[in-house]
Amino acid sequence: MKFQKVYSLEEIANIINCEYVGDANFTVSGMNEIHVVESGDIVFVDHPKYYDKALNSAATIVLINKKVDCPEGKALLISDDPFRDFNKLTNHFKPFQFSNVSIATSASIGQGTIIQPNTFIGNHVVIGKNCLIHSNVSIYDYTVIGDNVMIHAGTILGADAFYYKKRAEGYDQLLSGGRVVIKDNVGIGALCTIDKGVTGDTTIGEGTKIDNQVHVGHDTVIGKNCLIASQTGIAGCVIIEDDVTIWGQVGTTSGITIGAKAVILGQTGVTKSVEGGKSYFGTPIEESREKLKQLANIKKIPEILNKLK
């Protein structure tokens, strides 16, 4: 998430009321999760296991819960609770905006686009030309939709990321300040749910077609011309490259990559990253030929046991 202007390190520290290490005028231009950070971004870290990863990331400002040596060319924000203060920053720069109309006045809708009744379009939404948005669709703030996109009834774009920190009193939600970005010529079925990024974008690539009742988690990036069948659940921070086919009732873990032109057969559990250009099946996932051979051999076990008697 990039800020609308550049801030100083001191200004950011004042927002969250914390100490800082570095030049007071050190420039801060945004905030992001570690997998999408760039120079000028703030990243937060609150566990020693991930200190080195955060300090050595592309982020140049690290919101951290311990005083450590500051890497050259970077700055630190010292907080007793980085998770809480990251939320404060999200709420400061991307606060929830109330709307009491079906289509926000700040939304932009392209020529030839049809919006069916009972659809909600939030603040600062951008929809391109010649789209068809069916009834009872909810499009949250800052969503971006390209040209020639079809979205069927009941779909929700831009709900919060499923991202929580467990505390003594219960679960604390990490606020979502990112977006959903739908590229040109995408088709989205009925009752799909696509969560916005925590700070970045959840992206559906050009020409991709998504069946009914598919869930896409936060910060996931789906490439061009993919086919995703019904009841598939894609976790957060997944990369699905171009021309991937995913059949029904597939589930994935987070943070993996599915290579270009891979085919994931129905009811597969994608438990790890997989290469492109191959077909996969089963849980845990394996190449489909190997998995089907294994299943065929399992069927022979009773016969083998009888021969051993």
Side-chain angles (χ1 to χ4, degrees), residues 125-128 131 133 139 143-147 149 151 157 180 182:
V125 168
V126 176
I127 301 176
C131 297
I133 315 295
I139 302 175
T143 297
V144 178
I145 298 172
D147 299 334
V149 171
I151 303 174
L157 305 181
V180 170
I182 309 294

Side-chain angles (χ1 to χ4, degrees), residues 193-270:
T193 52
I194 301 176
D195 291 347
K196 62 188 168 187
V198 170
T199 52
D201 294 338
T202 301
T203 304
I204 311 298
E206 183 176 353
T208 284
K209 310 299 181 185
I210 298 176
D211 197 1
N212 303 330
Q213 297 180 317
V214 169
H215 174 71
V216 180
H218 70 90
D219 294 285
T220 282
V221 177
I222 297 176
K224 298 178 181 178
N225 299 316
C226 295
L227 290 175
I228 302 174
S230 179
Q231 298 182 4
T232 287
I234 300 168
C237 304
V238 171
I239 296 173
I240 298 175
E241 296 180 350
D242 296 346
D243 300 300
V244 168
T245 300
I246 300 178
W247 293 116
Q249 297 187 330
V250 167
T252 82
T253 191
S254 62
I256 60 163
T257 298
I258 298 176
K261 298 184 179 180
V263 176
I264 312 296
L265 299 182
Q267 297 192 327
T268 291
V270 188

Side-chain angles (χ1 to χ4, degrees), residues 63-290:
L63 177 59
I64 190 169
N65 58 346
K66 183 181 179 181
K67 288 187 177 180
V68 296
D69 292 335
C70 183
E72 186 176 353
K74 300 193 178 191
L76 304 178
L77 294 161
I78 310 299
S79 165
D80 64 327
D81 192 336
F83 188 99
R84 176 201 65 208
D85 286 340
F86 200 76
N87 271 348
K88 284 184 180 178
L89 291 172
T90 299
N91 198 46
H92 180 86
F93 291 108
K94 212 60 153 324
F96 174 76
Q97 297 180 53
F98 171 76
S99 179
N100 61 357
V101 292
S102 294
I103 300 177
T105 56
S106 58
S108 172
I109 300 174
Q111 186 176 5
T113 286
I114 297 170
I115 310 292
Q116 294 284 74
N118 298 322
T119 284
F120 171 74
I121 298 174
N123 301 290
H124 309 291
V125 168
V126 176
I127 301 176
K129 298 180 291 186
N130 301 316
C131 297
L132 175 54
I133 315 295
H134 284 278
S135 61
N136 299 307
V137 170
S138 292
I139 302 175
Y140 285 39
D141 295 0
Y142 294 99
T143 297
V144 178
I145 298 172
D147 299 334
N148 306 308
V149 171
M150 180 179 288
I151 303 174
H152 284 278
T155 281
I156 299 170
L157 305 181
D160 286 344
F162 190 72
Y163 194 141
Y164 294 86
K165 181 180 181 67
K166 187 169 177 57
R167 300 189 187 273
E169 63 274 17
Y171 290 101
D172 192 5
Q173 184 178 18
L174 187 64
L175 299 180
S176 297
R179 308 184 301 175
V180 170
V181 176
I182 309 294
K183 301 291 189 177
D184 295 348
N185 304 309
V186 168
I188 301 174
L191 299 174
C192 293
T193 52
I194 301 176
D195 291 347
K196 62 188 168 187
V198 170
T199 52
D201 294 338
T202 301
T203 304
I204 311 298
E206 183 176 353
T208 284
K209 310 299 181 185
I210 298 176
D211 197 1
N212 303 330
Q213 297 180 317
V214 169
H215 174 71
V216 180
H218 70 90
D219 294 285
T220 282
V221 177
I222 297 176
K224 298 178 181 178
N225 299 316
C226 295
L227 290 175
I228 302 174
S230 179
Q231 298 182 4
T232 287
I234 300 168
C237 304
V238 171
I239 296 173
I240 298 175
E241 296 180 350
D242 296 346
D243 300 300
V244 168
T245 300
I246 300 178
W247 293 116
Q249 297 187 330
V250 167
T252 82
T253 191
S254 62
I256 60 163
T257 298
I258 298 176
K261 298 184 179 180
V263 176
I264 312 296
L265 299 182
Q267 297 192 327
T268 291
V270 188
T271 52
K272 61 182 179 181
S273 295
V274 294
E275 296 178 9
K278 297 178 181 179
S279 176
Y280 298 92
F281 175 61
T283 305
I285 190 169
E286 294 186 64
E287 284 192 56
S288 55
R289 283 186 183 180
E290 179 60 30

Side-chain angles (χ1 to χ4, degrees), residues 273-307:
S273 295
V274 294
E275 296 178 9
K278 297 178 181 179
S279 176
Y280 298 92
F281 175 61
T283 305
I285 190 169
E286 294 186 64
E287 284 192 56
S288 55
R289 283 186 183 180
E290 179 60 30
K291 197 70 172 183
L292 292 171
K293 284 179 184 177
Q294 291 174 13
L295 293 174
N297 288 333
I298 288 170
K299 289 183 177 180
K300 295 178 182 178
I301 290 175
E303 178 185 344
I304 294 170
L305 290 175
N306 285 331
K307 288 181 178 179

Side-chain angles (χ1 to χ4, degrees), residues 34 44-57 62-66 68 82 165:
I34 197 161
F44 87 91
V45 61
D46 58 4
H47 194 289
K49 181 179 178 180
Y50 303 109
Y51 284 172
D52 286 345
K53 184 176 182 181
L55 291 165
N56 294 314
S57 71
V62 181
L63 177 59
I64 190 169
N65 58 346
K66 183 181 179 181
V68 296
K165 181 180 181 67

